[in-house]
Amino acid sequence: MPPELTDPADALAAVAALRRLADQLEEAAVEQAMRDGWSWPEVAEALGITRQAVHKKHAKRLIEAGVPLRRR
């Protein structure tokens, strides 16, 4: 383990920060893909998850942001 993360509190805080960053990156990438005309299955495949999972996680936010969504 890197020296700066030998304290469990520091290590856990780093994990939480990385998760937040990963979520932000995913949101931005999914939004851009949908704005570029990608379909739900294309986004899901790129993320390695199901179409249903990506739709459930992102559809509401994208609709509220006014992003045009493809059905297939």
Side-chain angles (χ1 to χ4, degrees):
M1 184 172 276
E4 67 275 6
L5 296 181
T6 56
D7 176 29
D10 290 342
L12 293 168
V15 169
L18 287 169
R19 284 190 180 140
R20 284 190 302 272
L21 178 58
D23 286 343
Q24 291 169 356
L25 291 171
E26 180 178 326
E27 287 178 4
V30 169
E31 183 170 336
Q32 188 59 54
M34 297 306 282
R35 287 185 186 280
D36 288 350
W38 285 40
S39 66
W40 290 113
E42 290 172 320
V43 173
E45 183 177 346
L47 291 174
I49 61 177
T50 66
R51 178 194 60 78
Q52 293 86 350
V54 75
H55 186 273
K56 181 178 180 179
K57 186 173 183 179
H58 295 285
K60 182 179 177 184
R61 178 183 56 78
L62 294 172
I63 291 167
E64 289 173 354
V67 177
L69 302 178
R70 290 179 55 186
R71 286 242 176 234
R72 293 205 179 265

